Short mmCIF file of all heavy atoms in Angstrom, two decimals:
data_model
loop_
_atom_site.label_atom_id
_atom_site.label_comp_id
_atom_site.label_asym_id
_atom_site.label_seq_id
_atom_site.Cartn_x
_atom_site.Cartn_y
_atom_site.Cartn_z
N ASP A 111 -28.10 -21.87 -5.20
CA ASP A 111 -29.43 -21.38 -4.85
C ASP A 111 -29.47 -19.87 -4.63
O ASP A 111 -30.53 -19.25 -4.76
CB ASP A 111 -29.95 -22.08 -3.59
CG ASP A 111 -30.33 -23.53 -3.83
OD1 ASP A 111 -30.43 -23.92 -5.02
OD2 ASP A 111 -30.50 -24.28 -2.85
N HIS A 112 -28.33 -19.27 -4.28
CA HIS A 112 -28.35 -17.87 -3.86
C HIS A 112 -27.52 -16.94 -4.73
O HIS A 112 -27.82 -15.74 -4.80
CB HIS A 112 -27.86 -17.74 -2.42
CG HIS A 112 -28.75 -18.41 -1.42
ND1 HIS A 112 -28.68 -19.76 -1.14
CD2 HIS A 112 -29.74 -17.92 -0.64
CE1 HIS A 112 -29.59 -20.07 -0.22
NE2 HIS A 112 -30.24 -18.98 0.09
N ILE A 113 -26.47 -17.44 -5.35
CA ILE A 113 -25.56 -16.58 -6.10
C ILE A 113 -25.82 -16.75 -7.59
O ILE A 113 -25.94 -17.88 -8.09
CB ILE A 113 -24.09 -16.92 -5.77
CG1 ILE A 113 -23.85 -16.77 -4.26
CG2 ILE A 113 -23.14 -16.02 -6.55
CD1 ILE A 113 -24.14 -15.40 -3.69
N ASN A 114 -25.90 -15.62 -8.29
CA ASN A 114 -26.24 -15.64 -9.72
C ASN A 114 -25.07 -16.11 -10.56
O ASN A 114 -24.32 -15.31 -11.14
CB ASN A 114 -26.68 -14.24 -10.16
CG ASN A 114 -28.14 -14.21 -10.55
OD1 ASN A 114 -28.71 -15.23 -10.92
ND2 ASN A 114 -28.75 -13.04 -10.47
N ILE A 115 -24.89 -17.41 -10.62
CA ILE A 115 -23.88 -18.01 -11.47
C ILE A 115 -24.60 -18.98 -12.40
O ILE A 115 -25.32 -19.86 -11.94
CB ILE A 115 -22.82 -18.78 -10.65
CG1 ILE A 115 -22.22 -17.88 -9.57
CG2 ILE A 115 -21.72 -19.33 -11.55
CD1 ILE A 115 -21.31 -18.61 -8.61
N LEU A 257 -26.60 -0.56 1.23
CA LEU A 257 -27.02 -0.86 -0.13
C LEU A 257 -28.27 -0.08 -0.51
O LEU A 257 -28.38 0.46 -1.62
CB LEU A 257 -27.26 -2.36 -0.27
CG LEU A 257 -27.50 -2.94 -1.67
CD1 LEU A 257 -26.39 -2.54 -2.63
CD2 LEU A 257 -27.61 -4.46 -1.59
N ILE A 280 -24.68 -1.90 -8.12
CA ILE A 280 -23.67 -2.80 -7.58
C ILE A 280 -22.27 -2.24 -7.84
O ILE A 280 -21.38 -2.31 -6.98
CB ILE A 280 -23.83 -4.21 -8.17
CG1 ILE A 280 -25.13 -4.83 -7.63
CG2 ILE A 280 -22.65 -5.11 -7.83
CD1 ILE A 280 -25.65 -5.97 -8.44
N ALA A 294 -20.80 -10.58 -6.60
CA ALA A 294 -21.83 -11.63 -6.60
C ALA A 294 -22.67 -11.56 -5.33
O ALA A 294 -23.89 -11.73 -5.37
CB ALA A 294 -21.18 -13.00 -6.73
N PHE A 295 -22.02 -11.27 -4.20
CA PHE A 295 -22.78 -11.16 -2.94
C PHE A 295 -23.62 -9.89 -2.93
O PHE A 295 -24.76 -9.90 -2.47
CB PHE A 295 -21.82 -11.18 -1.74
CG PHE A 295 -22.54 -11.05 -0.43
CD1 PHE A 295 -23.17 -12.15 0.14
CD2 PHE A 295 -22.63 -9.83 0.22
CE1 PHE A 295 -23.86 -12.04 1.34
CE2 PHE A 295 -23.31 -9.71 1.41
CZ PHE A 295 -23.93 -10.82 1.98
N LEU A 296 -23.07 -8.79 -3.43
CA LEU A 296 -23.84 -7.54 -3.49
C LEU A 296 -25.10 -7.72 -4.33
O LEU A 296 -26.18 -7.25 -3.96
CB LEU A 296 -22.98 -6.42 -4.06
CG LEU A 296 -21.76 -6.00 -3.24
CD1 LEU A 296 -20.97 -4.92 -3.98
CD2 LEU A 296 -22.16 -5.49 -1.86
N GLU A 297 -24.97 -8.42 -5.45
CA GLU A 297 -26.14 -8.66 -6.30
C GLU A 297 -27.16 -9.53 -5.58
O GLU A 297 -28.38 -9.31 -5.68
CB GLU A 297 -25.71 -9.32 -7.61
CG GLU A 297 -26.80 -9.38 -8.68
CD GLU A 297 -27.77 -10.53 -8.48
OE1 GLU A 297 -27.34 -11.60 -8.00
OE2 GLU A 297 -28.96 -10.36 -8.81
N TYR A 298 -26.69 -10.53 -4.84
CA TYR A 298 -27.58 -11.40 -4.07
C TYR A 298 -28.39 -10.59 -3.06
O TYR A 298 -29.61 -10.77 -2.92
CB TYR A 298 -26.75 -12.49 -3.38
CG TYR A 298 -27.44 -13.14 -2.20
CD1 TYR A 298 -28.68 -13.75 -2.33
CD2 TYR A 298 -26.84 -13.13 -0.94
CE1 TYR A 298 -29.30 -14.35 -1.24
CE2 TYR A 298 -27.44 -13.72 0.14
CZ TYR A 298 -28.68 -14.32 -0.01
OH TYR A 298 -29.30 -14.90 1.08
N ARG A 299 -27.74 -9.66 -2.37
CA ARG A 299 -28.46 -8.87 -1.36
C ARG A 299 -29.42 -7.88 -2.02
O ARG A 299 -30.53 -7.66 -1.52
CB ARG A 299 -27.48 -8.12 -0.46
CG ARG A 299 -26.66 -9.00 0.47
CD ARG A 299 -27.48 -10.04 1.20
NE ARG A 299 -28.60 -9.47 1.95
CZ ARG A 299 -29.59 -10.19 2.48
NH1 ARG A 299 -29.60 -11.51 2.34
NH2 ARG A 299 -30.56 -9.60 3.14
N LEU A 300 -29.04 -7.29 -3.15
CA LEU A 300 -29.94 -6.39 -3.86
C LEU A 300 -31.18 -7.15 -4.33
O LEU A 300 -32.31 -6.67 -4.17
CB LEU A 300 -29.22 -5.76 -5.06
CG LEU A 300 -30.03 -4.77 -5.88
CD1 LEU A 300 -30.28 -3.48 -5.09
CD2 LEU A 300 -29.32 -4.43 -7.19
N ARG A 301 -30.97 -8.33 -4.88
CA ARG A 301 -32.08 -9.15 -5.35
C ARG A 301 -32.98 -9.57 -4.19
O ARG A 301 -34.21 -9.57 -4.30
CB ARG A 301 -31.51 -10.38 -6.07
CG ARG A 301 -32.52 -11.31 -6.66
CD ARG A 301 -31.86 -12.32 -7.62
NE ARG A 301 -30.45 -12.53 -7.42
CZ ARG A 301 -29.94 -13.55 -6.72
NH1 ARG A 301 -30.74 -14.43 -6.13
NH2 ARG A 301 -28.64 -13.69 -6.61
N THR A 302 -32.36 -9.91 -3.06
CA THR A 302 -33.14 -10.30 -1.88
C THR A 302 -34.00 -9.14 -1.38
O THR A 302 -35.17 -9.32 -1.04
CB THR A 302 -32.18 -10.76 -0.76
OG1 THR A 302 -31.44 -11.90 -1.23
CG2 THR A 302 -32.96 -11.15 0.49
N LEU A 303 -33.41 -7.95 -1.36
CA LEU A 303 -34.18 -6.77 -0.93
C LEU A 303 -35.34 -6.49 -1.88
O LEU A 303 -36.43 -6.07 -1.45
CB LEU A 303 -33.25 -5.56 -0.84
CG LEU A 303 -32.25 -5.57 0.32
CD1 LEU A 303 -31.22 -4.45 0.15
CD2 LEU A 303 -32.96 -5.42 1.66
N ALA A 304 -35.13 -6.74 -3.17
CA ALA A 304 -36.23 -6.57 -4.13
C ALA A 304 -37.34 -7.57 -3.85
O ALA A 304 -38.54 -7.22 -3.84
CB ALA A 304 -35.70 -6.74 -5.56
N PHE A 305 -36.97 -8.82 -3.59
CA PHE A 305 -37.98 -9.85 -3.29
C PHE A 305 -38.70 -9.56 -1.97
O PHE A 305 -39.86 -9.95 -1.80
CB PHE A 305 -37.33 -11.23 -3.23
CG PHE A 305 -36.82 -11.73 -4.56
CD1 PHE A 305 -35.84 -12.71 -4.61
CD2 PHE A 305 -37.30 -11.21 -5.75
CE1 PHE A 305 -35.36 -13.17 -5.83
CE2 PHE A 305 -36.83 -11.67 -6.97
CZ PHE A 305 -35.87 -12.64 -7.02
N GLU A 306 -38.01 -8.87 -1.06
CA GLU A 306 -38.63 -8.53 0.23
C GLU A 306 -39.49 -7.27 0.14
O GLU A 306 -40.09 -6.87 1.15
CB GLU A 306 -37.54 -8.35 1.29
CG GLU A 306 -36.86 -9.66 1.67
CD GLU A 306 -35.71 -9.46 2.66
OE1 GLU A 306 -35.37 -8.28 2.93
OE2 GLU A 306 -35.17 -10.47 3.16
N GLY A 307 -39.55 -6.64 -1.03
CA GLY A 307 -40.48 -5.54 -1.23
C GLY A 307 -39.90 -4.15 -1.12
O GLY A 307 -40.63 -3.16 -1.15
N PHE A 309 -37.87 -2.83 -3.39
CA PHE A 309 -37.75 -2.31 -4.74
C PHE A 309 -38.88 -2.85 -5.62
O PHE A 309 -39.38 -3.96 -5.40
CB PHE A 309 -36.43 -2.76 -5.39
CG PHE A 309 -35.18 -2.25 -4.74
CD1 PHE A 309 -34.51 -3.02 -3.79
CD2 PHE A 309 -34.66 -1.02 -5.07
CE1 PHE A 309 -33.36 -2.57 -3.20
CE2 PHE A 309 -33.48 -0.55 -4.49
CZ PHE A 309 -32.84 -1.33 -3.54
N ILE A 311 -39.18 -4.16 -9.46
CA ILE A 311 -38.19 -4.79 -10.31
C ILE A 311 -38.69 -4.89 -11.73
O ILE A 311 -39.88 -5.16 -11.97
CB ILE A 311 -37.80 -6.18 -9.73
CG1 ILE A 311 -36.59 -6.76 -10.45
CG2 ILE A 311 -38.97 -7.14 -9.76
CD1 ILE A 311 -35.98 -7.95 -9.72
N PRO A 315 -34.18 -11.30 -13.14
CA PRO A 315 -32.91 -11.19 -12.40
C PRO A 315 -32.00 -12.41 -12.52
O PRO A 315 -31.60 -13.01 -11.54
CB PRO A 315 -33.38 -10.98 -10.96
CG PRO A 315 -34.69 -11.68 -10.89
CD PRO A 315 -35.33 -11.49 -12.25
N LYS A 316 -31.66 -12.77 -13.76
CA LYS A 316 -30.75 -13.90 -13.95
C LYS A 316 -29.29 -13.45 -13.91
O LYS A 316 -28.39 -14.28 -13.84
CB LYS A 316 -31.06 -14.63 -15.24
CG LYS A 316 -30.99 -13.79 -16.51
CD LYS A 316 -31.39 -14.63 -17.72
CE LYS A 316 -31.33 -13.82 -19.01
NZ LYS A 316 -31.72 -14.64 -20.18
N SER A 317 -29.06 -12.16 -14.00
CA SER A 317 -27.74 -11.58 -13.76
C SER A 317 -27.96 -10.09 -13.49
O SER A 317 -29.03 -9.55 -13.79
CB SER A 317 -26.81 -11.78 -14.96
OG SER A 317 -27.00 -10.76 -15.92
N TYR A 321 -31.65 -6.94 -15.21
CA TYR A 321 -32.82 -6.35 -14.56
C TYR A 321 -32.49 -4.98 -13.98
O TYR A 321 -31.33 -4.62 -13.76
CB TYR A 321 -33.39 -7.27 -13.49
CG TYR A 321 -32.54 -7.47 -12.25
CD1 TYR A 321 -32.85 -6.81 -11.05
CD2 TYR A 321 -31.45 -8.34 -12.24
CE1 TYR A 321 -32.11 -7.01 -9.91
CE2 TYR A 321 -30.70 -8.54 -11.10
CZ TYR A 321 -31.03 -7.87 -9.94
OH TYR A 321 -30.28 -8.08 -8.79
N VAL A 323 -34.08 -1.87 -11.06
CA VAL A 323 -34.88 -1.74 -9.84
C VAL A 323 -35.19 -0.26 -9.58
O VAL A 323 -34.50 0.63 -10.08
CB VAL A 323 -34.16 -2.34 -8.61
CG1 VAL A 323 -33.97 -3.83 -8.74
CG2 VAL A 323 -32.82 -1.64 -8.37
#
Side-chain angles (χ1 to χ4, degrees):
D111 288 346
H112 295 83
I113 303 302
N114 247 335
I115 306 172
L257 189 53
I280 291 161
F295 179 79
L296 295 177
E297 191 279 326
Y298 160 57
R299 291 314 305 169
L300 182 70
R301 182 167 21 98
T302 299
L303 289 169
F305 292 158
E306 290 176 352
F309 296 95
I311 190 167
K316 59 183 180 180
S317 85
Y321 69 103
V323 295

